[in-house]
Amino acid sequence: MTRPNNLINEQSPYLLQHAYNPVNWYPWGDDAFIKAKKEDKPIFLSVGYATCHWCHVMEHESFEDSDVATSLNDNFISIKVDREERPDIDSIYMTITQMMTGRGGWPMTIIMTSDKKPFFAGTYIPKEGRFGMTGLIDLLSQITEIWKTKRQDVHQTAEQVTKHLQESSTLTQTEYNGEELIIRGFDELNSKYDEILGGFGSQPKFPSPHNLLFLMRYWKRYNDGVALQMVEKTLQKMRMGGIYDHVGFGFHRYSTDRHWLVPHFEKMLYDQAMLVLAYTEAYQITKKEIYKETAEEILEYVMRDMTSPEGGFYSAEDADSEGEEGKFYIWSYKEITKILSKDELELAARIFNILPTGNFLDEATQQKSTLNILHLKRPIEELLEEQNISKKEFDVKIEIIREKLFSQRKQRIHPLKDDKILTDWNGLMIAAFSKASRILRNKSYQQTAEKAIDFILAKLQQEDGRLLHRYRNEDAAIMANLDDYAFMIWGLLELYETSFNPKYLNEAINLNVKLIDHFWDNESGGFFFTPDDGEELLVREKPVYDGSIPSGNSVAMLNLVKLSKMTSEASLEQKADDLMKTFAKQINRIPSAFSFILSSLDFALGPSFEIILVAKEDDEEIKKFVEKIDGQYVPNKVVIIKYIEDDQLIKNIEILKDYKMINNQVTAYVCKDFVCKQPTNDPEIMIKELSKNED
């Protein structure tokens, strides 16, 4: 057996995938950089993640190849980085890759000096050149020659790239018009919206649920039915498409085509979390069962397949199994005939568009596949009408079919599960379970969120209260970044407003203090991605662009606004405004690229509500008030319950001591934009105050 390289003692599943490559890989760290300096060699940096299809391709094609390994081992010091473990490193070098090549993606390939300054950047590179693209073998040879003969040019390029990166990371505060940014954000999304199939742009199509969350807030703010139509069509078309796993539930990463049919099959935890939030809020607005059912099915998938016995959530499932993308998820007609009865097959074929000749185009070959991706060609309502059966009867029949297919699929070789637990993505999932619990009235979701929070605070919080980023095999490591704090605070706030357990709100307040202490830029505002005592990299970035998930600054702004309203701490609202000023120039260029911060801005601009309920702990009447609140779509609100026997919250929120029960009954105090209404013992009067959103 091949001897392992220096990755063998790592925890990252991605790094361990490469531990037996003939390439003498190093993890990111001093050993590699000292060796590169000592041996006067450039560094070959490869960045990817465990469930990345093209990362697997490049590994099998090049990093398992002896010729490539010889070239790398003789002339370079090779470093492997898991982008999910070290998003700080990934973000910096991805910015550089986009700067140097005009595009980005994974695997990312960087060649740099021993002081971490890059002079070449690219993404996937084939072993041999094709279609005018230089192959890796030739590229390594060319760079080795340049390193030996044109060293001065190499250093000059590296210095120019680094200088440009540092200059582009310098931000200055500017004033902004909040309403204008929100309206322009909507207009831009509207111009990119696919009116026929939902989503934005043509192909590939990403779910981008933060865009949908923004559009629902836009609908609420301006009573604009077009915004809600965009949300509904997108959610419905995605749910019908092959991007949704109709057998095992959960969403795949994105659709390679405009129709949401042929997905890139990996499943990411963060997509499940953000999509649960979108479907749950859509249900809260419309009360349409399809949105509720979809959210419940996603959560069933996460609880079944993506939750550790200790309660933390795993990161992802691969697109590939047995070396083929999607093999686990797609079906031949012949196989299905052996699983289902004749009547079941006939129904399944009509519902899921299963064809003897296959039902999709193979993206790799551009030929029609002989296999099937299960999807709905028409909405459920039309299928019910065609079958002339009730929804209840339809659901029973489809569930029998689904369970048979699921049972058979379980026998297949499963894709790799990336079982590392990341603090930031767990924060998103905790927020999703918490919100779903109160809107879908399911207590078990709250319990799942509580177990996850308890796990994170036990395993990934240090004695000084600060967080770590990654946990696997009893090993917690890597200093937490902005996203870890911002997303975890979000999760805690959502869980507090579901459980009303004071410890979650107090923990959110404490983590927010740590975030400000170690990440806030006192000179020009905004949060750095890395802490003030973190590893020194080329630059301390301040990300605000919403990519696959909202940026840490976008979520941190929402947290600042909510916490300022919950604690009556005006300095937090001031920080939120300073944060907006820091990024206003960037946001002003393309507001739609920053849709989550626009949602946070919508909250900050108001109208917004603070609801304080005062009750005895054993008073069952409180449930009526809470259920009334949860039944309404009022995104820009905070809710606090003060139990008169408990003073835990008053330690952090002194103003609460002034709120009393009236008539010895549950009492609701509703404040809107700093003006408080008369307290009431009637939940109906409370709800009427929340409905006055337009005055």
Side-chain angles (χ1 to χ4, degrees):
M1 188 176 181
T2 310
R3 288 181 62 190
N5 55 46
N6 299 291
L7 302 181
I8 193 63
N9 295 316
E10 294 299 303
Q11 286 295 341
S12 158
Y14 176 63
L15 298 188
L16 291 171
Q17 284 172 1
H18 294 78
Y20 285 92
N21 291 168
V23 176
N24 187 26
W25 292 113
Y26 283 81
W28 181 278
D30 290 342
D31 289 354
F33 293 108
I34 291 167
K35 188 174 176 66
K37 192 165 283 191
K38 185 179 177 183
E39 296 183 8
D40 191 30
K41 289 178 178 177
I43 284 168
F44 180 90
L45 171 66
S46 178
V47 182
Y49 56 103
T51 58
C52 161
H53 172 70
W54 286 101
C55 299
H56 300 327
V57 172
M58 193 164 175
E59 179 190 11
H60 298 320
E61 201 174 51
S62 294
F63 301 143
E64 292 176 352
D65 180 82
S66 58
D67 292 337
V68 172
T70 298
S71 181
L72 284 170
N73 295 342
D74 289 350
N75 303 300
F76 298 83
I77 300 300
S78 300
I79 295 178
K80 260 284 171 199
V81 166
D82 179 343
R83 67 173 294 260
E84 295 167 358
E85 269 202 339
R86 293 299 304 266
D88 51 343
I89 295 167
D90 174 66
S91 178
I92 287 171
Y93 291 103
M94 184 55 70
T95 300
I96 286 165
T97 301
Q98 290 167 334
M99 243 165 38
M100 293 179 77
T101 69
R103 62 192 185 94
W106 299 275
M108 174 168 51
T109 305
I110 298 285
I111 302 178
M112 60 188 185
T113 64
S114 59
D115 52 2
K116 306 174 186 174
K117 295 178 180 177
F119 56 91
F120 173 87
T123 51
Y124 162 76
I125 302 170
K127 180 191 168 189
E128 305 289 350
R130 54 179 183 255
F131 306 119
M133 186 180 184
T134 304
L136 187 60
I137 286 282
D138 291 338
L139 176 69
L140 295 176
S141 176
Q142 290 167 18
I143 287 178
T144 300
E145 183 62 24
I146 290 167
W147 182 258
K148 289 175 181 174
T149 61
K150 297 182 179 178
R151 184 75 62 90
Q152 192 172 345
D153 292 350
V154 167
H155 283 296
Q156 189 175 354
T157 299
E159 290 297 332
Q160 286 173 346
V161 169
T162 304
K163 186 181 177 186
H164 188 56
L165 174 72
Q166 291 166 344
E167 286 173 352
S168 68
S169 299
T170 304
L171 302 171
T172 54
Q173 291 195 351
T174 55
E175 295 298 325
Y176 62 93
N177 183 322
E179 290 278 354
E180 182 191 325
L181 290 175
I182 288 171
I183 291 167
R184 282 180 52 213
F186 169 75
D187 289 342
E188 287 172 9
L189 287 174
N190 197 13
S191 70
K192 293 185 282 187
Y193 174 64
D194 184 336
E195 292 184 6
I196 298 169
L197 296 164
F200 306 94
S202 180
Q203 59 187 63
K205 264 189 181 169
F206 290 82
S208 303
H210 41 281
N211 289 344
L212 306 179
L213 295 172
F214 165 70
L215 288 170
M216 284 185 272
R217 282 151 183 77
Y218 189 90
W219 163 79
K220 179 74 172 178
R221 185 176 196 84
Y222 298 110
N223 195 26
D224 188 325
V226 172
L228 188 57
Q229 280 179 346
M230 292 161 71
V231 172
E232 288 210 69
K233 177 155 277 187
T234 301
L235 291 176
Q236 289 170 18
K237 290 293 185 182
M238 286 195 303
R239 174 62 177 78
M240 290 166 63
I243 191 174
Y244 188 69
D245 180 357
H246 293 266
V247 172
F249 306 145
F251 277 87
H252 298 296
R253 182 68 200 89
Y254 63 85
S255 176
T256 59
D257 60 279
R258 181 189 168 201
H259 297 261
W260 304 107
L261 173 58
V262 184
H264 179 44
F265 285 91
E266 68 185 314
K267 288 181 179 178
M268 310 301 295
L269 182 70
Y270 57 74
D271 282 325
Q272 315 312 319
M274 294 300 296
L275 283 160
V276 165
L277 291 169
Y279 278 99
T280 299
E281 289 195 3
Y283 171 72
Q284 192 180 34
I285 292 169
T286 67
K287 302 298 186 282
K288 292 181 182 176
E289 285 295 313
I290 185 63
Y291 304 138
K292 179 183 180 184
E293 289 167 7
T294 305
E296 288 172 338
E297 288 175 359
I298 297 169
L299 293 171
E300 181 180 329
Y301 159 69
V302 172
M303 288 188 289
R304 184 190 67 226
D305 291 345
M306 299 297 286
T307 306
S308 74
E310 302 155 292
F313 302 113
Y314 299 135
S315 294
E317 288 194 302
D318 207 334
D320 297 14
S321 55
E322 301 181 73
E324 291 182 36
E325 181 172 9
K327 185 171 183 178
F328 181 75
Y329 296 101
I330 53 184
W331 303 83
S332 71
Y333 187 85
K334 186 177 180 182
E335 183 182 11
I336 290 177
T337 62
K338 295 175 182 175
I339 302 166
L340 303 179
S341 70
K342 186 179 177 184
D343 287 348
E344 289 168 346
L345 175 64
E346 189 180 325
L347 179 60
R350 283 207 301 272
I351 301 302
F352 295 116
N353 196 37
I354 302 165
L355 303 174
T357 54
N359 68 6
F360 70 98
L361 190 72
D362 188 312
E363 289 291 310
T365 63
Q366 290 300 299
Q367 301 292 317
K368 190 173 183 199
S369 172
T370 57
L371 298 166
N372 292 274
I373 297 172
L374 270 56
H375 66 283
L376 307 179
K377 285 195 84 170
R378 285 171 295 159
I380 296 288
E381 294 76 19
E382 291 182 23
L383 295 167
L384 291 174
E385 197 174 319
E386 178 194 273
Q387 297 298 313
N388 194 27
I389 57 174
S390 69
K391 175 74 162 57
K392 189 174 181 181
E393 187 183 352
F394 177 84
D395 287 346
V396 169
K397 289 185 174 183
I398 291 301
E399 182 59 16
I400 290 168
I401 290 168
R402 188 197 70 79
E403 284 181 356
K404 285 187 174 184
L405 294 176
F406 181 74
S407 180
Q408 181 64 32
R409 198 176 77 175
K410 272 171 54 175
Q411 311 307 314
R412 297 177 178 178
I413 295 173
H414 286 243
L416 168 98
K417 195 188 307 289
D418 186 336
D419 61 356
K420 67 178 179 291
I421 294 168
L422 300 175
T423 300
D424 50 352
W425 296 2
N426 271 252
L428 293 179
M429 203 69 242
I430 289 161
F433 269 103
S434 301
K435 181 166 275 194
S437 176
R438 64 178 184 266
I439 293 172
L440 308 183
R441 311 309 306 162
N442 187 324
K443 186 78 171 177
S444 72
Y445 297 158
Q446 177 188 320
Q447 292 163 352
T448 301
E450 288 174 333
K451 190 175 179 184
I453 280 280
D454 290 346
F455 170 83
I456 296 292
L457 297 180
K459 301 290 188 180
L460 283 146
Q461 189 173 42
Q462 301 176 100
E463 286 185 13
D464 62 359
R466 293 177 68 182
L467 298 173
L468 294 169
H469 174 61
R470 187 268 297 142
Y471 176 90
R472 187 170 183 265
N473 291 338
E474 295 292 328
D475 180 73
I478 306 169
M479 290 180 80
N481 57 57
L482 165 61
D483 289 3
D484 294 312
Y485 282 91
F487 297 175
M488 191 51 63
I489 293 165
W490 186 16
L492 283 160
L493 291 176
E494 291 290 349
L495 183 51
Y496 170 72
E497 291 189 287
T498 299
S499 68
F500 296 106
N501 185 330
K503 74 177 183 181
Y504 300 127
L505 180 52
N506 287 330
E507 189 62 55
I509 291 168
N510 295 337
L511 284 180
N512 202 59
V513 170
K514 300 288 183 192
L515 177 62
I516 291 168
D517 286 349
H518 293 286
F519 292 81
W520 182 257
D521 183 350
N522 289 310
E523 291 182 14
S524 56
F527 291 102
F528 291 112
F529 189 72
T530 52
D532 51 3
D533 54 354
E535 179 183 349
E536 190 171 337
L537 299 171
L538 291 181
V539 69
R540 277 184 86 192
E541 289 195 307
K542 277 194 273 185
V544 70
Y545 168 76
D546 296 326
S548 303
I549 51 177
S551 72
N553 270 293
S554 298
V555 175
M557 180 178 167
L558 176 67
N559 297 337
L560 288 169
V561 173
K562 290 190 76 167
L563 283 169
S564 73
K565 294 184 181 303
M566 293 173 123
T567 63
S568 298
E569 182 58 64
S571 65
L572 297 179
E573 196 160 61
Q574 183 59 56
K575 273 203 162 34
D577 185 46
D578 288 344
L579 187 150
M580 268 304 301
K581 288 176 181 173
T582 299
F583 300 111
K585 193 173 179 182
Q586 283 175 271
I587 298 166
N588 192 51
R589 290 189 196 118
I590 316 174
S592 61
F594 307 90
S595 61
F596 198 91
I597 208 167
L598 295 183
S599 293
S600 304
L601 177 61
D602 173 62
F603 200 145
L605 292 176
S608 63
F609 298 89
E610 300 93 48
I611 306 159
I612 297 167
L613 303 174
V614 185
K616 296 174 184 174
E617 276 198 63
D618 59 354
D619 194 334
E620 290 292 309
E621 285 294 304
I622 192 77
K623 290 180 181 176
K624 292 181 183 177
F625 287 79
V626 171
E627 285 176 12
K628 284 285 183 185
I629 293 168
D630 293 341
Q632 303 282 315
Y633 179 72
V634 186
N636 298 343
K637 70 178 185 307
V638 295
V639 186
I640 289 176
I641 294 182
K642 175 192 172 183
Y643 292 112
I644 58 172
E645 304 93 338
D646 186 359
D647 63 353
Q648 280 191 64
L649 280 180
I650 295 173
K651 293 172 188 172
N652 275 314
I653 310 173
E654 198 174 323
I655 197 172
L656 283 179
K657 70 178 185 295
D658 299 328
Y659 290 85
K660 314 289 183 186
M661 284 179 72
I662 295 172
N663 303 323
N664 203 32
Q665 297 175 42
V666 177
T667 305
Y669 293 79
V670 178
C671 303
K672 177 184 173 187
D673 298 335
F674 312 108
V675 177
C676 295
K677 306 297 180 184
Q678 282 291 325
T680 180
N681 303 128
D682 187 342
E684 294 297 338
I685 293 174
M686 174 192 71
I687 287 299
K688 280 180 185 173
E689 294 298 342
L690 291 182
S691 303
K692 295 175 184 175
N693 204 18
E694 54 284 331
D695 54 23

